[in-house]
């Protein structure tokens, strides 16, 4: 697992997943595989090289996005710290697949995600 306060995941959302796979695969050599729990609507991205970062490609059917996710020790505490530093919590803390996550805006309005992995 990636260390705390480092990027541990990224996600690209698109209404044209096949075109996105072709683009990123040809441009960067990224590979794609079905997510065993979500099926074809969500694909796992693997970047090349030792220690390559993994991410996801979501078939959104709507607005496109690209967001990075930072591993944090405590999602709720980090949300409070972000607000104290001038940011805004866009999507409050939730738990999905054992991860505790939230979406945050920096003071310039850039969105990113934070998450705490499941214990253990």
């Amino acid at each position: 697992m990636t260390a705390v306060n480092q990027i541990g995941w990224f996600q690209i959302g698109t209404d044209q997943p096949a075109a996105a796979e072709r683009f990123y695969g040809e441009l960067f050599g990224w590979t794609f595989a079905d997510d065993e729990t979500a099926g074809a609507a969500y694909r796992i991205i693997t970047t090349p090289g030792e220690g390559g970062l993994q991410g996801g490609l979501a078939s959104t059917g709507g607005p496109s996005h690209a967001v990075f996710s930072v591993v944090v020790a405590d999602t709720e505490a980090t949300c409070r710290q972000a607000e104290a530093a001038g940011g805004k919590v866009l999507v409050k803390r939730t738990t999905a697949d054992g991860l505790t996550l939230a979406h945050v805006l920096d003071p310039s309005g850039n969105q990113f995600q934070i998450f705490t992995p499941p214990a253990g």
Side-chain angles (χ1 to χ4, degrees):
M1 173 52 68
T2 301
V4 170
N5 296 332
Q6 292 187 8
I7 295 175
W9 189 259
F10 67 96
Q11 179 174 292
I12 299 168
T14 178
D15 61 352
Q16 298 180 12
E21 282 191 32
R22 192 170 39 259
F23 176 80
Y24 289 107
E26 290 176 7
L27 186 62
F28 299 126
W30 294 358
T31 58
F32 300 83
D34 285 343
D35 180 335
E36 294 178 10
T37 61
Y42 198 82
R43 305 266 290 158
I44 302 299
I45 302 168
T46 302
T47 62
E50 186 176 331
L53 186 62
Q54 281 196 317
L57 178 73
S59 179
T60 62
S64 296
H65 66 272
V67 63
F68 64 90
S69 303
V70 178
V71 179
V72 297
D74 182 327
T75 299
E76 188 66 32
T78 304
C79 285
R80 288 191 302 272
Q81 291 171 324
E83 289 177 325
K88 179 180 177 183
V89 176
L90 183 65
V91 178
K92 295 184 187 230
R93 181 183 59 121
T94 187
T95 300
D97 297 327
L99 300 172
T100 303
L101 54 100
H103 287 251
V104 179
L105 295 176
D106 71 14
S108 297
N110 296 302
Q111 182 179 345
F112 62 97
Q113 182 177 1
I114 58 174
F115 73 94
T116 303

